[in-house]
Amino acid sequence: SQMEASDNDLISQLEAKLNEPAYSRPSVSHIKDKYKRGRINSELRRIKVQEKKKRRMDRDRLAKILGDEAPEKQQPKTLESTREPDDTTVNPSDEEVIADEATDEFASHFAGETTTKTLVTTSSKRTQETRKLVKDFLQLFPNSHYRDRKNAPVKEIIDWALENDFTDIMIINEDQKKANGVLVCHLPEGPTALFRLSSVIRRENILNVARGDDDNPEIILKNFTTRLGHTIGRMLGSMIPHDPNFQCRRVVTFHNQRDFIFVRHHRYIFDSFSKARIQEIGPRFTLRLRYLQHGVFDRFGDFEWIQKKEHVTSRRRFFL
């Protein structure tokens, strides 16, 4: 009974601490000396970190004492967790979604009826830096081939790719001698998507980079929740052969967060039966959808979705 009383006292103390308002850093904008303001600001940041750590330790102690009766862990409020509801959000296990997947443009790929073969090319006047990026893309996407575009129009490239049994075309665009866009066209019936390319880090600039191999990687598609996002996810997934070799320990990730698609290429390293880590193979880059068009590329074609300023009515509205 004495032990139970001490536990109850400790629980009451912890709950009282947690119910107190969190530390709020005071403003230092009234201090004119910027060096003094900087020193005080640094000290206030340090205090805030310490107070935050103490509250976290108190929550952990309370949860350990209460066990199953502990309150639920608080979830931080982020733009993703407070995003506006979207009527086009889909459930992958829904019968209607499954029926659509069985008849869409990528159905033959995921059914294993076609072999992925990707043509990679660039804009007409490419720089040497873009040429190096192409080499990294060829290692990222299995069974991909490069063809010099020269001055050929996109329609001519599509016709040549169809004659040579390619399933996808990827055109890396550049502006001011810097790669800034990727046009992806799925063959033979489309769709076509234009992405903005940013935050590119090539393999040679990644610390402790791993050497890739020719085996088919595992693919991870994350947070593609709407109808549009579902289509984009399947489009990106169709560029990787749907026959992963799990023994090669290679994985390609397309992670959507706030309509930015983060592309990462890793391999698993197993230190023991219970412990594993990852090593990056590269390259590393970010995509953002500019438009999605029905069918193969056509400047005057039918567009399913176009990025417009009037669509962005809130910071919490996302489309993928």
Side-chain angles (χ1 to χ4, degrees), residues 125-143:
K125 296 181 180 180
R126 56 161 178 79
T127 59
Q128 189 63 29
E129 192 67 22
T130 303
R131 182 73 173 89
K132 293 178 182 178
L133 180 62
V134 167
K135 291 183 179 179
D136 290 350
F137 272 59
L138 294 177
Q139 188 164 14
L140 173 64
F141 296 100
N143 198 21

Side-chain angles (χ1 to χ4, degrees), residues 31-291:
I31 301 175
K32 302 301 181 184
D33 188 342
K34 69 176 183 180
Y35 297 106
K36 183 178 179 181
R37 187 171 64 243
R39 290 196 302 271
I40 295 175
N41 219 3
S42 299
E43 181 64 18
L44 292 174
R45 277 199 298 267
R46 186 184 66 80
I47 294 173
K48 184 175 182 180
V49 170
Q50 288 181 345
E51 293 295 326
K52 190 175 181 181
K53 184 177 180 181
K54 287 179 182 177
R55 291 177 68 87
R56 185 172 65 248
M57 292 175 66
D58 289 340
R59 283 196 300 267
D60 293 341
R61 288 177 63 189
L62 183 62
K64 189 175 181 181
I65 295 172
L66 295 177
D68 295 336
E69 298 179 0
E72 292 185 2
K73 189 175 181 181
Q74 295 179 349
Q75 296 296 329
K77 288 186 178 181
T78 62
L79 290 178
E80 289 85 1
S81 63
T82 59
R83 68 179 292 176
E84 292 183 358
D86 196 319
D87 295 335
T88 63
T89 301
V90 297
N91 184 357
S93 59
D94 186 79
E95 293 182 359
E96 183 180 349
V97 175
I98 296 174
D100 290 342
E101 289 180 354
T103 57
D104 67 3
E105 301 92 336
F106 316 106
S108 59
H109 166 80
F110 290 101
E113 299 172 359
T114 58
T115 302
T116 301
K117 186 179 180 183
T118 305
L119 173 65
V120 181
T121 186
T122 62
S123 52
S124 300
K125 296 181 180 180
R126 56 161 178 79
T127 59
Q128 189 63 29
E129 192 67 22
T130 303
R131 182 73 173 89
K132 293 178 182 178
L133 180 62
V134 167
K135 291 183 179 179
D136 290 350
F137 272 59
L138 294 177
Q139 188 164 14
L140 173 64
F141 296 100
N143 198 21
S144 55
H145 308 270
Y146 172 73
R147 184 173 186 257
D148 192 0
R149 179 175 175 178
K150 298 180 181 178
N151 291 319
V154 177
K155 287 288 188 181
E156 186 177 319
I157 296 174
I158 293 174
D159 293 339
W160 185 87
L162 287 170
E163 292 174 0
N164 290 271
D165 299 326
F166 282 93
T167 59
D168 296 277
I169 297 176
M170 179 182 294
I171 302 176
I172 302 176
N173 301 317
E174 62 178 279
D175 184 33
Q176 297 181 355
K177 299 183 178 181
K178 183 179 179 181
N180 69 337
V182 178
L183 180 73
V184 179
C185 181
H186 184 71
L187 300 177
E189 299 177 355
T192 302
L194 177 65
F195 298 93
R196 189 181 72 185
L197 178 67
S198 61
S199 304
V200 179
I201 300 181
R202 293 186 40 248
R203 294 188 68 252
E204 64 180 21
N205 298 323
I206 296 176
L207 183 65
N208 193 26
V209 66
R211 187 179 66 180
D213 49 43
D214 296 331
D215 291 323
N216 294 337
E218 177 187 357
I219 182 169
I220 298 176
L221 299 170
K222 192 167 180 65
N223 287 348
F224 295 93
T225 57
T226 64
R227 281 277 183 184
L228 177 64
H230 200 64
T231 301
I232 295 299
R234 285 176 64 81
M235 185 178 194
L236 295 173
S238 67
M239 300 181 68
I240 306 291
H242 195 55
D243 183 25
N245 181 1
F246 295 105
Q247 293 183 352
C248 77
R249 302 173 294 138
R250 183 178 163 208
V251 56
V252 176
T253 304
F254 296 97
H255 177 82
N256 173 46
Q257 185 174 356
R258 304 180 191 176
D259 288 348
F260 290 91
I261 304 172
F262 299 94
V263 184
R264 299 293 184 265
H265 187 196
H266 296 88
R267 71 166 183 171
Y268 298 113
I269 298 177
F270 295 96
D271 296 323
S272 65
F273 287 105
S274 59
K275 189 176 181 180
R277 54 192 172 93
I278 58 175
Q279 184 180 18
E280 191 164 6
I281 299 175
R284 183 193 310 169
F285 56 92
T286 304
L287 301 174
R288 188 164 193 186
L289 183 66
R290 301 295 298 274
Y291 69 71

